[in-house]
Amino acid sequence: MQREFDVLVVGSGIAGLTIAKRLQEEHLSIAIVESFEWGGTTPNHGSTPKKYLLAAVEAKQAIQSHLGKGFDGVPQINWQQLMSYKNSQIANTSKVIQESLSEVSITTIYGNARFKNEATITVDGVDYTGKKIILATGARPRELEFEGKEHVHYSSHFLNAESLPPSITIIGAGIIAFAITNIASEIGDQVHVLQHNQRALGAFDPELVGDLITLLKQRGVQYHFDHNVEKIVQLKDDLYQLTTKEGLVFETNVVYSVAGRVPNVEDLGLEKADITFNEQGVAVNEFLQTTNPKVYAIGDCNDSPAPKLSNYAEFQANYLADVLSGETLKPIAYPIPSMSVFSNPKIAQTGIFVNEAIRQPETYEIEEIDMKNWLNYHRGNEPIARSKIVIRKSDQQIVGITSISNEADLLVNYFTLLLKMKMTKQQLRDTILAYPSLASDFSKFY
């Protein structure tokens, strides 16, 4: 087996797969190392399986909004059937991804990689060298320290649960927490959410987040802000007592922690390759290069300020492929930021976020728009549809939007393109957009 390569990629998640396939197109010899499942978290235990579960939840919620308006009843979700369907769709994901790599002559190596020196890694006792080495090892759930932490499960366990118990508890109130909450509450679970401070979805506008939380509370979700877990005690096989440092005590059938993720860097032997790292990940410069000039780090394992989301990991991978193939000599420059929440209704934002605009009142103003009675939202009996438009005062140009509705992610993606093109109001008026799509409402914003 070949042991010397132009490029060694460690990690086969979104970032690793993207750059490996891009560089293979440059006729370089590529090897990729994986220690768990080919494809990493996203297709196996992350967003992909989550989307299959959410599809059923969204279907139920759509019928629920038409109860008495065309439907006499709301069907219940059969979790076992849904899980069986989801499993059938992703059952061979890892195998298919590995085969796709082999089909384009990328060498696949299974095992744990550790640096032997600045240009060599060892996998199960075998040495491999690369002219360039790219770290794309991703991240894992953060482990919290408290008595009974061994009873805690993580999001991947939820996404693979054969059955859901009557009550679940979620530690954390970020994007993943809202996805699990949305799914579990519609299945019929009693959901408790614990957050160590007062902020849920810290990157998003707190007012719209508050609107979402109000709706989830109406569905029976119980939020406990400013609470930190002190201990979890097992009462019997499927029942636990959770106590917080602030004195809250209740019983629950399972506890899931989604309180952040930490980079997978400690076991790589980075010190043997003169690579600096910290709690945020492998230190990289503006070219995603580590302190070892032969080694780069992309995605969730590096300490760049970019959000730790799969679309940013893919962007970094494509950028680095351009650098290594000589297509660009420029430092990485991130495009207009966009992100959304797996909830229903969804919250999404792009451009200048509301939180940033609030901190710069001399530069930006914020216009609020209630869209609930607009046809695109009213016809679906949506409980809420609101947007906040960020306007630059100097030229009255729209530079950002945050929105909440069942279609907020689609609306924000349209706006991302408009912002990138810097389209003016007159240019928008000169464009005919399909009716009755969401895009047909753009004239109401400009």
Side-chain angles (χ1 to χ4, degrees), residues 7-17 19-20 30-38 40 106-107 109-115 119-123 128-130 132-139 264-265 267-270 275 282 295-301:
V7 180
L8 285 172
V9 180
V10 182
S12 71
I14 296 296
L17 289 176
I19 196 161
I30 311 293
I32 187 166
V33 184
E34 177 55 54
S35 61
F36 185 40
E37 290 184 307
W38 296 97
I106 294 174
T107 300
I109 304 168
Y110 189 80
N112 293 299
R114 286 184 61 85
F115 278 93
T120 305
I121 62 171
T122 300
V123 182
Y128 301 92
T129 61
K132 301 290 183 184
I133 298 177
I134 300 169
L135 302 177
T137 51
N264 291 318
V265 298
D267 298 326
L268 294 172
L270 298 176
I275 297 173
V282 177
V295 181
Y296 298 79
I298 55 178
D300 290 1
C301 72

Side-chain angles (χ1 to χ4, degrees), residues 93-300:
T93 296
S94 181
K95 179 182 178 182
V96 169
I97 289 175
Q98 183 181 19
E99 290 175 348
S100 72
L101 292 167
S102 299
E103 287 172 1
V104 293
S105 301
I106 294 174
T107 300
T108 58
I109 304 168
Y110 189 80
N112 293 299
R114 286 184 61 85
F115 278 93
K116 183 176 183 178
N117 55 48
E118 63 179 14
T120 305
I121 62 171
T122 300
V123 182
D124 293 340
V126 180
D127 293 343
Y128 301 92
T129 61
K131 296 177 183 177
K132 301 290 183 184
I133 298 177
I134 300 169
L135 302 177
T137 51
R140 66 186 185 279
R142 183 185 305 279
E143 185 175 301
L144 301 178
E145 294 295 331
F146 51 75
E147 181 183 341
K149 68 178 183 180
E150 66 273 14
H151 301 307
V152 171
H153 298 274
Y154 298 95
S155 60
S156 60
H157 297 101
F158 175 84
L159 296 174
N160 290 289
E162 294 182 2
S163 62
L164 289 184
S167 172
I168 74 169
T169 297
I170 301 169
I171 302 173
I175 289 177
I176 298 175
F178 274 82
I180 295 177
T181 299
N182 188 42
I183 295 169
S185 61
E186 285 296 343
I187 299 298
D189 283 8
Q190 170 62 61
V191 182
H192 291 268
V193 179
L194 297 177
Q195 174 66 5
H196 68 93
N197 58 20
Q198 278 289 327
R199 286 301 306 274
L201 296 172
F204 292 81
D205 173 53
E207 185 179 1
L208 296 188
V209 172
D211 290 339
L212 176 56
I213 289 175
T214 297
L215 290 173
L216 288 169
K217 285 181 177 179
Q218 292 170 4
R219 297 174 192 166
V221 179
Q222 295 188 36
Y223 280 88
H224 310 285
F225 290 102
D226 288 325
H227 277 275
N228 296 271
V229 179
E230 181 178 56
K231 64 180 177 179
I232 298 174
V233 177
Q234 186 171 12
L235 302 177
K236 53 184 180 180
D237 286 348
D238 60 349
L239 187 65
Y240 301 87
Q241 183 183 76
L242 187 149
T243 303
T244 70
K245 295 177 181 178
E246 293 72 25
L248 178 67
V249 181
F250 62 91
E251 294 181 357
T252 186
N253 298 113
V254 64
V255 179
Y256 296 104
S257 176
V258 288
R261 296 173 67 79
V262 295
N264 291 318
V265 298
E266 302 94 336
D267 298 326
L268 294 172
L270 298 176
E271 62 281 350
K272 293 184 178 180
D274 295 324
I275 297 173
T276 299
F277 66 99
N278 52 51
E279 292 182 355
Q280 283 70 48
V282 177
V284 294
N285 62 18
E286 65 271 29
F287 298 96
L288 304 180
Q289 187 177 43
T290 73
T291 49
N292 177 341
K294 296 181 180 179
V295 181
Y296 298 79
I298 55 178
D300 290 1

Side-chain angles (χ1 to χ4, degrees), residues 67-81:
L67 190 61
K69 302 178 179 70
F71 289 91
D72 294 324
V74 180
Q76 295 304 304
I77 295 174
N78 185 314
W79 180 260
Q80 284 73 28
Q81 282 187 7

